[in-house]
Amino acid sequence: MLTLHECEQHIRAKKIQASHYDLLEYYMVFGGIPFYWSLLTRCSI
């Protein structure tokens, strides 16, 4: 499981622009499951 901070680092590394509010919403949906976070792309948001 990833922490919220690790999830933020993950999307920043993928060059995905998201506000803190967006990040929190994604975390509420995906939780800290790395597989779901890996599915995010710049186009999917």
Side-chain angles (χ1 to χ4, degrees):
M1 297 280 294
L2 300 173
T3 64
L4 183 57
H5 179 71
E6 291 169 331
C7 292
E8 181 176 14
Q9 290 175 331
H10 180 75
I11 65 167
R12 300 288 182 240
K14 292 181 95 173
K15 307 276 193 260
I16 297 173
Q17 298 293 323
S19 68
H20 290 289
Y21 182 81
D22 293 334
L23 180 64
L24 188 55
E25 281 190 327
Y26 300 148
Y27 194 77
M28 287 188 287
V29 172
F30 300 135
I33 301 170
F35 173 75
Y36 296 129
W37 285 92
S38 69
L39 298 176
L40 286 177
T41 62
R42 290 178 73 183
C43 297
S44 67
I45 297 178

